[in-house]
Structures are given as structure tokens and as C-alpha cells.
Amino acid sequence: MKKELLLTAGALLAQQADAAEPQSRKATPERPNIIFILADDMGYGDLSCYGNKYIKTPNIDRLAATGTSFTQAYAGSGISSPSRCSLMTGRNSGNTRIRDNQCYAGGMTGLKINPRGDTTIVRRANLLPEDTTLATVIRTAGYQTCLVNKWHLDGYDPGSAPNHRGFHEFYGWTISTVHSNSPYYYPYYRLWGDSLIHINENAHDAHVRHNTEISTDDAIAFIHRNKENPFFLFLGYDAPHEPYNIDDTSWYDEHGEWSLNTKRYAALVTHMDYHIGRLLGALDNLGLRENTLIIFASDNGAAVMAPISELNCHAGLKGRKGQLYEGGIKVPLIVNQPGRVPARQIANQVYFPDFMPTLAALTGSTNALPQTDGIDVSPLFFGGNVDTDHRYLYWEFPGKQRAVRYGEWKCVTVKKNAPLELYHISEDPNEQHNLAEQYPKMVKEFDEVMHRMHKPSVNYPIPEDNQKPVAKARKKKK
């Protein structure tokens, strides 16, 4: 299907890179294809391989059993858009373009459809042509790039869709049209690049093709078309984001004590796992498995509506999606490549800004790497080691919440103008014992660090940008 192209500065850069690099150079185990699979609102404890006793995830479990899983991995934020922006740009949420699902100034206004079907008008920021994305960097090394399903970084600007921000191909939905993601999970509309197509089987609200199936089909088709080329595939599933809409709950119908909502949540995760198995099978059939690095993660913690008490979605962690406590930002992370990635579990602290320099190193595209807030952690994938603990990991919702992790410690507040809390995470992973009063000097140092790591933003102007750090301001008032 023909696609219209808007030649932004980013697109022109990508075209120049394509012309400079030969496209016939195949992937190898040392320079692999990369498939990044991102679940949506899946909690740290939703997978069997991360301790869940109820939800069945055999294919993801095999990836963990034969690969490397991380127990101290963090998303870019506690909510979708800023977390994905952090992943795509290599910046933390105090330094990136999109810092919340909605912005305070600039951006564009549009219609938001809530899971209940209600509509509200909101303002969102979007990635600009000058924002370098993972795809923009990786394609400079001759990789074919594709994003399937959820993007969530265009605001309401159709010119900011993935195919205008570094990806050669895009199949899925943005938030630039109310048709793009409705009805959730059994869509009638879908974007192929800039073209809005119909999923005819789902016409008249028929529940025939689930979006997880559609997305997997699109991903497998891309792999087949590019089996002779190195490729970067970003597969952003919707599951298990609310509303929990799936007709087949047969995996869990034996649990008569569960609510329908709980069965559907678990089924969305297991259904996604089944289709990840299909994806892995396609790689095996094409002889691409050993030349392909698989990365699996979630974009943030479990949502408010998730059956946390029934299924232990947050693995006992404090907080949830939308908060900077561990339950909102700590996520499962699994890396797998047969013959190269060892079977082990490691506790190195990594987070989404690390993927920009890491994937640039893996693909040989470091010459196009912009300044990032992450580090190259690729040696961790292959049995090596990187000192990831002696640095500051930072998150914020501008003017509302902020958090920093350094080594064994974490300083956080999830309420505007509330006192900072301090936790010794290695001994208190569930953030039950606030030590701020015992270590006021450490809190003050963390406060100053967080103010240094926050960069002002035109989309998120806050009064604090023109003030001194809070600790010093309070001292002055006394």
C-alpha cells in the first residue's frame, strides 16, 4: 500500500544514512537482528519466571530460562508516553521531550477516549524532527526498521508518527486520530504508515481478530520480507492494558473464584505469550534465531485496575502505574540470543535510557549516537559486567513527583511539595521503611542531585525551574 512521506529533518538524515550503507549486509550473531517486545502496563510480578503463581507464560519463561533476566531493571517512567520517549531517545524524564501523558503548554489538543468510552479534550506533546530516535540511529548501520502497534509519541500530530521519526515501516496506531485505537483489542481501523485501513473481520464490532494476533501477524510479515537484511523490529503490544477485553479466557475458566476481570487480565498476558511463541517459531523456521537478539520488557508497572491483590501483579512492591515508587517503574527485563546470551539472573541496575547507547553499540551505529542519559550495558547481555550501580538514575513527573536511585539507595516523593522519602532498596525493596529523618544529609544531597538532573521544558514549565533546590530554599526561609 502506498504511503505518503513527510520529509522532515529526521527523515532526510535517515535517507542519507540509507544511501551511505549497503543494504545487502546480513545479520550475524555478533551483529544481530534486534526484536524489542514491549508489554503495556504489565506488572513486575506478572510473569511466571518472575514469581507469579497464577499466570501462564511458558514462552517468555523459556526466554528467561535460556537467557539473561534482570531483577533491577527500570522503565523510563511510571506511565506510557514518557516511558516510551525515554526508551526511544535515550533521555531520562527530566531531560526528554515528553515527560507525562499530557503536557502543560505547547503541543496539540485532541480528543482522548477513556476505557469507559468517555471523551475529554487533552493537550499532548510529540516528538519533533530534531529528536533522534533509536530507529534513526540504528538505520544508519543499514538496518531495516519497523514499529508494530503502539507508538504513543505523536501527540495529535500525524506528522510525528513512527514512519516520520526514523522507522522505515509502521503498522499499528497512534493517538493522532480517534479511529486509531478504537475499539480496543478488536480494532476495525489500523494505520499502515499514513494510510488508515480496515480490519474487515472486525467490522460492526465483531470480535474476530484480536489486536495481539494482528500485531504479531504484522511483525512476522516484516521479518519474512527482511530475512536477507539486518532488521530492528519494535513490537509494542497493548496487553495487558485496560480495558481487559478478550473473549477467550479458557486458560483460567477453572478458577471459579476469580472475577471475569481477573480472568481477562490473566488471559491477555497468556494470549500475548502464545503469540510471542508464534514469533519465535517464525524465526526458527527462517533460520534466523541465532542471528536475532530478543529483548522483552514492560513500559511501566501494573495499572490501578489490575487485579493486584488476586494475582500479585506488583510482586509486593509499593505503588503502581503512575507513581515513582518501585511498583510503578520496576519492570521485568529479559534478553535472549541462542549461543551468545548466557542463562543467568543478574541484579545490575539498568533503565530505559541505556538502550540507545546499548543498541547503537550492538548494531555498529555509534557514529550517529546523540548525547544520552544512559550507558552501554551490552556486555551484561553476553556474560560480561558493567558497573551500573555507581550512577544516578532519575525520574520525574514535572512539578508532581521525582525520584533518584543511586546504588543501594532511593530518594522519592510522589506528591507535590511533599517531603522526600528515603529507602535502602537493597534491604527494603518494597519501600516500607522511610529513613529520611535518620539521614537528613543524604536526603539533602539527593535533593540537590535531582534539581541538577531536571532540565526546564517548554512543554512542562514549572515554577521550580526559577528557584534554588528545595533544601536550600527552606533553610533560607528559616
Side-chain angles (χ1 to χ4, degrees):
M1 189 170 290
K2 294 182 180 180
K3 303 173 184 177
E4 299 176 0
L5 294 177
L6 285 176
L7 297 181
T8 63
L12 288 171
L13 173 63
Q15 287 184 354
Q16 291 168 1
D18 293 341
E21 290 287 338
Q23 297 298 314
S24 59
R25 187 178 170 194
K26 286 189 175 182
T28 64
E30 294 73 28
R31 184 176 174 267
N33 303 312
I34 296 172
I35 299 178
F36 199 118
I37 303 172
L38 192 67
D40 196 349
D41 286 6
M42 193 184 73
Y44 180 79
D46 274 334
L47 300 174
S48 296
C49 52
Y50 277 81
N52 195 282
K53 298 179 180 179
Y54 307 101
I55 303 177
K56 302 169 185 176
T57 52
N59 293 297
I60 300 174
D61 292 346
R62 277 193 291 272
L63 288 176
T66 59
T68 293
S69 55
F70 292 75
T71 61
Q72 296 290 316
Y74 290 96
S77 181
I79 202 166
S80 184
S81 286
S83 186
R84 292 163 192 267
C85 189
S86 178
L87 175 61
M88 280 291 163
T89 64
R91 304 285 185 95
N92 64 49
S93 52
N95 189 33
T96 195
R97 181 75 60 189
I98 302 172
R99 308 185 183 192
D100 202 338
N101 273 3
Q102 300 178 32
C103 64
Y104 313 158
M108 298 179 67
T109 57
L111 195 63
K112 177 182 178 181
I113 303 177
N114 297 316
R116 297 181 300 275
D118 301 331
T119 59
T120 54
I121 295 177
V122 299
R123 180 180 298 275
R124 298 183 187 267
N126 57 272
L127 285 185
L128 299 179
E130 58 265 33
D131 294 319
T132 302
T133 67
L134 271 173
T136 310
V137 170
I138 292 174
R139 65 189 282 173
T140 65
Y143 277 62
Q144 291 296 301
T145 58
C146 177
L147 188 139
V148 173
N149 203 47
K150 185 171 180 177
W151 173 236
H152 225 246
L153 300 177
D154 59 292
Y156 291 103
D157 178 12
S160 298
N163 50 312
H164 301 295
R165 295 294 179 265
F167 287 93
H168 290 102
E169 300 181 35
F170 164 53
Y171 308 94
W173 59 275
T174 65
I175 46 178
S176 61
T177 167
V178 295
H179 300 298
S180 301
N181 64 333
S182 180
Y184 220 82
Y185 285 122
Y186 292 96
Y188 175 59
Y189 299 98
R190 193 167 178 81
L191 286 169
W192 283 15
D194 294 326
S195 300
L196 195 63
I197 68 161
H198 294 162
I199 308 297
N200 292 322
E201 298 93 327
N202 291 341
H204 309 297
D205 199 28
H207 287 193
V208 177
R209 296 188 68 201
H210 195 275
N211 199 44
T212 298
E213 174 191 354
I214 296 169
S215 299
T216 307
D217 289 346
D218 288 339
I220 292 174
F222 170 78
I223 293 171
H224 274 272
R225 290 195 301 274
N226 289 279
K227 59 186 177 183
E228 301 297 327
N229 303 314
F231 60 79
F232 169 53
L233 169 64
F234 187 92
L235 176 52
Y237 285 119
D238 293 324
H241 194 289
E242 60 188 41
Y244 306 134
N245 194 356
I246 184 170
D247 293 343
D248 183 8
T249 60
S250 57
W251 298 281
Y252 302 104
D253 286 345
E254 63 186 34
H255 292 280
E257 73 281 10
W258 287 9
S259 68
L260 181 58
N261 185 70
T262 299
K263 291 179 183 179
R264 284 176 173 172
Y265 182 92
L268 283 168
V269 176
T270 300
H271 184 242
M272 175 179 62
D273 179 87
Y274 167 79
H275 285 283
I276 289 174
R278 287 183 55 218
L279 184 76
L280 297 174
L283 291 171
D284 287 333
N285 291 336
L286 292 171
L288 298 177
R289 189 65 185 89
E290 292 183 356
N291 291 351
T292 303
L293 178 75
I294 307 288
I295 302 170
F296 177 88
S298 178
D299 67 340
N300 48 247
V304 179
M305 290 179 63
I308 291 175
S309 59
E310 296 94 333
L311 302 181
N312 197 28
C313 303
H314 60 5
L317 298 173
K318 184 177 182 178
R320 50 172 172 73
K321 173 186 176 180
Q323 295 180 324
L324 297 183
Y325 288 129
E326 295 288 277
I329 57 176
K330 190 176 182 181
V331 294
L333 174 62
I334 300 166
V335 179
N336 187 289
Q337 185 185 353
R340 292 208 71 210
V341 175
R344 62 175 184 162
Q345 187 178 83
I346 59 177
N348 295 74
Q349 295 168 28
V350 299
Y351 77 147
F352 278 11
D354 293 331
F355 282 108
M356 176 73 88
T358 298
L359 299 191
L362 288 172
T363 58
S365 53
T366 53
N367 60 317
L369 187 65
Q371 183 177 0
T372 73
D373 296 314
I375 62 174
D376 174 13
V377 298
S378 60
L380 296 175
F381 296 176
F382 308 113
N385 194 25
V386 177
D387 182 6
T388 61
D389 298 349
H390 294 88
R391 58 173 179 150
Y392 295 104
L393 311 184
Y394 178 67
W395 303 264
E396 70 172 48
F397 287 110
K400 302 175 182 177
Q401 302 184 41
R402 54 199 178 113
V404 64
R405 174 84 191 263
Y406 183 87
E408 299 178 342
W409 295 90
K410 180 181 175 185
C411 193
V412 59
T413 181
V414 299
K415 294 181 180 179
K416 184 176 181 180
N417 298 325
L420 291 169
E421 303 166 24
L422 182 68
Y423 299 98
H424 194 275
I425 292 296
S426 60
E427 296 182 359
D428 181 22
N430 297 340
E431 297 170 299
Q432 298 300 304
H433 307 289
N434 180 8
L435 303 177
E437 291 187 1
Q438 294 178 235
Y439 300 97
K441 183 178 178 181
M442 188 182 298
V443 172
K444 179 180 178 181
E445 291 173 351
F446 276 134
D447 183 27
E448 293 173 348
V449 166
M450 287 190 278
H451 277 83
R452 288 199 303 270
M453 298 191 78
H454 166 78
K455 304 297 188 297
S457 166
V458 296
N459 295 122
Y460 303 90
I462 56 176
E464 288 84 349
D465 287 345
N466 299 315
Q467 297 178 2
K468 294 179 180 180
V470 172
K472 292 183 179 181
R474 287 174 178 169
K475 187 175 180 179
K476 184 177 180 181
K477 287 181 180 179
K478 289 181 180 179

